[in-house]
């Protein structure tokens, strides 16, 4: 039987110390050992029962319950004051064989994998590597859990690919303590796994696009995501270059991503017609305190996997992984009393090193977006805008930041549109403008992080720029009407779906301050037979009772 430790911790915090929140109880569940329960499916199902027993306990005591992953979110999205479940020991993966694939599936069966919630991006990548497969995209490093990633909408800068949730095929969600509260949820238009697979994990099948899209970026509030079916692809290589280009060109590309018809040329990255290749990844670094007519940009080109490429780690350690936060902290440790001077001095110290074309770094996705070194206090705020608005939004944010300086620098990344109802990469191509840095003390010259986050929202609203914010990063979530401003009627759709899937009692159990602050915890009494599992053509198959 799976066993759970119960720790009366009193306090809880994120990895980067963004809070210190009250917490009564922390749970950590460990599966039965392989020696006594050899079948992975048995251990997985036994784990589900244990989670349901914990949920029952919370109901009995009229308390909340929330799962969390690696604590990498910097907002309070993962926090719940009563009971928090740490998933890091729940990292099984279940075999998916050809017989498990739904007859209407359009996925290649060898690309479908099923991982338990606590698997980190690193662990998943290693597992996929054994099969010659890779994730399609990740964030800039690899320590987050799969359930944590999709719950906030983690992205990289693969602008034709999307975010992590966009390659999820199915979700196994525990919605309550009863046997029928174990659900396997997929899109009806893109079924992946068949009912026999769902039966094996004791889950009731729901195929419904609307519900799936809402639960996908569920902010930790759609129940306990026990497992995730995802689509991988063949292992590939990335050739990475860092170069400095004219600011006008960098921002023109930011607005149209039309590399093939641009002047952005890297030797060797040119097609047979002489036009520049389209990168897989594009990122711009901007120091808001320096008026530069050239920007540092990072571009990566996707290449077919081949065995013989030089070990990338010598270069990776020297260049990529001196990440912004690490460099910022080093700098501030050296000059602790000189924040204003420090801000002005950022330019030379924190941008990635320029590579010569012949010095490109070639590595797999997993090797490229490697471990994050720094674990001390840090902040990050990210907003998403349509790429067409990216220059205007950047200008507004830089102007505001010059007026209210804080120790951080900007970067811009690009992501394809998500189908997730509250996915913050919701524009047809989203430009994510982020400011990362170290935490600081508010003073007469420097605003608090909360104030700065409010200024960000106000600066974008003043320019009438539609925007979203990264749910896992710092922001003024109490800003009046924020969720509705960002998502319009999608907010009601999301709440409806949550109310369809969860009973009112369970919706309360899976709520927290974060969603309450945003007004997303409201429960709607929708008819109970409202959700229907649909076939591929949208015809009802079954009703939820
Ligand atoms: C060093 C660093 C680098 C980062 N880089 C990026 C980046 O490149 N791109 C990007 O988009 N973000 C980035 N982030 C933000 C971070 O990746 C996200 O906030 C991510 O969601 C954190 O994942 P986690 O596993 O730590 O989840 P947590 O932060 O622990 O939890 C996040 C949410 O997931 C929910 N959750 C977790 N497990 C479950 C479950 N089993 N069932 C239901 N809900 C669950 C939690 O309740 C919470 O709501 C970075 C953060 C750090 C610290």
């Amino acid at each position: 039987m799976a066993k759970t430790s119960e720790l009366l911790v009193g306090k809880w915090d994120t990895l980067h110390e963004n809070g210190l929140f009250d917490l009564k109880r922390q749970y950590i569940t460990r599966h039965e050992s392989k020696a006594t329960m050899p079948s992975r499916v048995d251990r997985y199902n036994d784990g589900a029962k244990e989670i349901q027993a914990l949920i029952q306990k919370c109901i009995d005591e009229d308390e909340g319950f929330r799962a969390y992953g690696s604590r990498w979110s910097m907002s309070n999205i993962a926090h719940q004051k009563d009971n928090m479940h740490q998933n890091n020991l729940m990292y099984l993966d279940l075999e998916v064989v050809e017989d498990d694939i739904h007859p209407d599936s359009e996925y290649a069966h060898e690309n479908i994998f099923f991982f338990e919630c606590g698997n980190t991006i690193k662990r998943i990548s290693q597992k996929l590597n054994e099969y010659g497969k890779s994730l399609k995209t990740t964030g800039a490093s690899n320590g987050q859990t799969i359930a944590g990633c999709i719950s906030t909408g983690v992205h990289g800068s693969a602008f034709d690919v999307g975010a992590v949730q966009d390659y999820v095929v199915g979700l196994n969600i525990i919605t309550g303590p009863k046997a029928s509260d174990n659900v396997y949820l997929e899109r009806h238009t893109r079924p992946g796994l068949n009912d026999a697979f769902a039966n094996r994990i004791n889950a009731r099948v729901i195929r419904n696009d609307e519900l799936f899209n809402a639960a996908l970026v569920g902010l930790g509030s759609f129940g306990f995501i026990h497992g995730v079916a995802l689509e991988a692809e063949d292992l590939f290589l990335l050739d990475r270059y860092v170069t400095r280009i004219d600011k006008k060109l960098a921002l023109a590309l930011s607005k149209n991503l039309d590399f093939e018809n641009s002047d952005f040329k890297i030797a060797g990255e040119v097609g047979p017609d002489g036009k520049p290749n389209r990168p897989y990844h594009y990122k711009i670094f901007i120091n808001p305190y320096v008026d530069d007519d050239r920007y540092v940009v990072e571009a990566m080109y996707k290449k077919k996997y081949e065995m013989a490429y030089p070990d990338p780690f010598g270069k990776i350690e020297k260049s990529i992984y001196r990440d912004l936060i690490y460099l910022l902290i080093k700098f501030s440790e050296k000059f602790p009393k000189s924040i204003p001077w420090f801000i002005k001095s950022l330019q030379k110290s924190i941008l990635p090193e320029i590579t010569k074309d012949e010095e490109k770094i070639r590595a797999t996705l997993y090797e490229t977006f490697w471990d994050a070194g720094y674990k001390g206090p840090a902040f990050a705020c990210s907003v998403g805008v349509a790429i067409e608005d990216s220059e205007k939004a950047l200008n507004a944010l830089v102007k505001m930041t010059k007026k209210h300086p804080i120790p951080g620098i900007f970067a811009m990344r690009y992501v394809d549109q998500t189908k997730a109802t509250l996915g913050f990469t919701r524009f047809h191509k989203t430009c994510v403008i982020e400011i990362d840095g170290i935490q600081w003390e508010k003073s007469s010259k420097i605003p608090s992080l909360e104030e700065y986050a409010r200024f960000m929202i106000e600066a974008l609203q003043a320019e009438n720029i539609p925007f979203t914010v990264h749910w896992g990063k710092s922001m003024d979530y109490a800003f009046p009407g924020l969720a509705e401003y960002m998502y319009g009627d999608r907010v009601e759709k999301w709440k409806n779906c949550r109310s369809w899937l969860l009973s009112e009692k369970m919706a309360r159990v899976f709520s927290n301050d974060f969603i309450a602050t945003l007004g997303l915890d409201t429960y709607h009494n929708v008819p109970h037979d409202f959700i229907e599992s649909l076939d591929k053509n949208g015809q009802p198959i079954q009703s939820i009772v």
Side-chain angles (χ1 to χ4, degrees):
M1 295 273 286
K3 289 200 177 53
T4 301
S5 340
E6 185 180 322
L7 305 167
L8 298 173
V9 285
K11 296 281 177 197
W12 179 90
D13 211 346
T14 63
L15 174 78
H16 283 310
E17 301 172 27
N18 306 94
L20 201 57
F21 303 97
D22 290 337
L23 170 61
K24 209 186 271 178
R25 229 173 270 111
Q26 181 190 24
Y27 289 122
I28 308 174
T29 298
R30 180 184 286 279
H31 285 297
E32 177 60 85
S33 85
K34 200 172 175 176
T36 45
M37 198 182 274
S39 153
R40 270 184 279 176
V41 175
D42 287 351
R43 270 180 282 145
Y44 182 86
N45 291 340
D46 175 56
K49 282 198 191 125
E50 178 69 5
I51 296 298
Q52 290 193 303
L54 297 177
I55 291 173
Q56 182 62 58
K57 216 170 138 196
C58 296
I59 296 171
D60 295 344
E61 298 186 9
D62 200 17
E63 290 183 341
F65 181 81
R66 176 154 288 245
Y68 71 95
S70 301
R71 299 184 295 126
W72 276 31
S73 295
M74 300 181 203
S75 62
N76 62 340
I77 190 166
H79 172 250
Q80 202 285 330
K81 67 181 175 40
D82 302 322
N83 300 287
M84 292 182 62
H85 187 274
Q86 184 176 318
N87 304 330
N88 65 328
L89 297 183
M90 301 184 79
Y91 53 81
L92 291 170
D93 58 279
L94 303 186
E95 204 78 47
V96 176
V97 296
E98 200 164 356
D99 279 355
D100 296 323
I101 300 298
H102 192 280
D104 293 335
S105 165
E106 288 162 15
Y107 299 102
H109 94 264
E110 61 275 14
N111 285 341
I112 306 296
F113 292 83
F114 189 93
F115 291 98
E116 200 176 23
C117 56
N119 273 286
T120 58
I121 293 296
K122 183 170 188 172
R123 195 181 279 272
I124 290 174
S125 302
Q126 286 167 340
K127 187 78 200 170
L128 295 180
N129 196 41
E130 290 175 22
Y131 292 82
K133 300 287 175 186
S134 166
L135 290 174
K136 291 170 184 286
T137 181
T138 65
S141 41
N142 58 20
Q144 310 94 325
T145 60
I146 186 67
C149 279
I150 63 180
S151 299
T152 67
V154 168
H155 64 94
S157 198
F159 53 82
D160 289 328
V161 177
V164 171
Q165 74 273 8
D166 298 321
Y167 50 76
V168 170
V169 172
L171 296 168
N172 175 211
I173 309 182
I174 297 173
T175 58
K178 300 196 295 284
S180 57
D181 294 334
N182 190 349
V183 169
Y184 177 68
L185 176 61
E186 292 189 328
R187 289 195 177 95
H188 67 270
T189 53
R190 288 214 78 192
L193 295 173
N194 58 23
D195 294 11
F197 180 89
N199 289 340
R200 215 156 64 233
I201 55 170
N202 300 326
R204 187 163 55 86
V205 178
I206 301 178
R207 293 202 177 83
N208 181 313
D209 284 21
E210 200 175 345
L211 191 53
F212 179 82
N213 291 336
L216 199 50
V217 174
L219 314 181
S221 304
F222 257 78
F224 184 97
I225 300 169
H226 188 196
V228 177
L230 55 82
E231 186 189 26
E233 66 176 71
D234 289 346
L235 210 50
F236 57 89
L237 294 173
L238 291 173
D239 283 347
R240 173 194 186 257
Y241 305 84
V242 177
T243 183
R244 206 181 283 273
I245 61 171
D246 186 75
K247 173 179 171 176
K248 285 199 190 102
L249 174 59
L251 293 176
L253 286 168
S254 175
K255 285 191 285 189
N256 60 22
L257 298 172
D258 185 10
F259 289 86
E260 297 89 331
N261 296 303
S262 77
D263 293 331
F264 183 67
K265 291 216 171 78
I266 289 190
E269 297 297 349
V270 178
D273 54 1
K275 288 188 170 189
N277 288 340
R278 185 168 177 80
Y280 162 90
H281 162 117
Y282 177 60
K283 180 171 179 178
I284 311 179
F285 298 85
I286 304 115
N287 184 335
Y289 308 108
V290 175
D291 287 320
D292 212 341
D293 53 9
R294 284 160 78 74
Y295 280 160
V296 173
V297 300
E298 176 184 65
M300 296 185 197
Y301 296 83
K302 195 170 176 178
K303 298 286 147 76
K304 206 169 161 355
Y305 182 76
E306 57 182 26
M307 282 291 285
Y309 62 97
D311 176 6
F313 283 104
K315 284 184 191 163
I316 279 172
E317 272 158 19
K318 275 201 224 106
S319 55
I320 303 181
Y321 300 104
R322 302 177 68 202
D323 59 40
L324 293 183
I325 288 172
Y326 176 77
L327 283 156
L328 282 162
I329 203 80
K330 284 285 151 220
F331 213 85
S332 71
E333 275 168 10
K334 222 167 154 189
F335 307 105
K337 295 199 182 113
S338 314
I339 292 263
W341 175 80
F342 158 75
I343 294 168
K344 288 201 191 90
S345 309
L346 290 173
Q347 178 76 353
K348 286 193 202 112
S349 316
I350 58 172
L351 297 174
E353 280 170 26
I354 308 294
T355 52
K356 294 191 189 112
D357 288 2
E358 65 278 11
E359 280 177 3
K360 69 182 177 202
I361 299 177
R362 172 168 282 200
T364 61
L365 179 84
Y366 154 65
E367 291 162 340
T368 301
F369 298 109
W370 191 241
D371 302 350
Y374 176 62
K375 298 199 166 44
F379 83 95
C381 302
S382 286
V383 297
V385 297
I387 54 169
E388 293 78 5
D389 286 332
S390 58
E391 182 175 7
K392 193 172 161 196
L394 178 71
N395 288 342
L397 293 172
V398 166
K399 191 169 153 204
M400 178 280 288
T401 304
K402 280 183 174 157
K403 213 161 122 199
H404 304 288
I406 58 162
I409 76 157
F410 283 101
M412 290 162 110
R413 290 191 276 175
Y414 303 87
V415 194
D416 205 8
Q417 186 168 37
T418 186
K419 289 198 166 69
T421 314
L422 293 191
F424 83 98
T425 45
R426 76 171 180 83
F427 302 97
H428 75 109
K429 297 272 180 199
T430 297
C431 168
V432 180
I433 308 179
E434 44 202 344
I435 180 158
D436 290 5
I438 52 164
Q439 289 177 22
W440 69 92
E441 292 291 327
K442 172 184 159 70
S443 73
S444 57
K445 293 204 179 95
I446 306 180
S448 68
L449 178 57
E450 293 70 28
E451 286 164 340
Y452 180 80
R454 193 180 76 238
F455 297 150
M456 284 183 92
I457 295 173
E458 287 170 350
L460 294 170
Q461 285 191 339
E463 296 285 337
N464 281 321
I465 300 171
F467 69 91
T468 52
V469 304
H470 188 317
W471 300 113
K473 301 218 175 160
S474 317
M475 192 41 66
D476 179 9
Y477 289 102
F479 194 91
L482 183 64
E484 288 73 15
Y485 184 87
M486 297 191 296
Y487 291 96
D489 62 2
R490 288 168 181 232
V491 168
E492 286 308 298
K493 282 192 184 145
W494 188 86
K495 288 186 199 168
N496 274 337
C497 287
R498 185 165 177 264
S499 306
W500 294 340
L501 188 67
L502 302 179
S503 68
E504 190 163 6
K505 196 193 293 164
M506 291 318 303
R508 234 183 4 258
V509 169
F510 290 121
S511 292
N512 68 349
D513 281 353
F514 180 82
I515 67 160
T517 303
L518 282 151
L520 293 173
D521 60 336
T522 328
Y523 192 82
H524 291 176
N525 277 315
V526 287
H528 239 308
D529 59 357
F530 205 87
I531 303 173
E532 291 176 308
S533 202
L534 307 167
D535 70 13
K536 206 173 174 191
N537 303 314
Q539 295 306 307
I541 295 180
Q542 71 195 51
S543 301
I544 286 187
V545 278

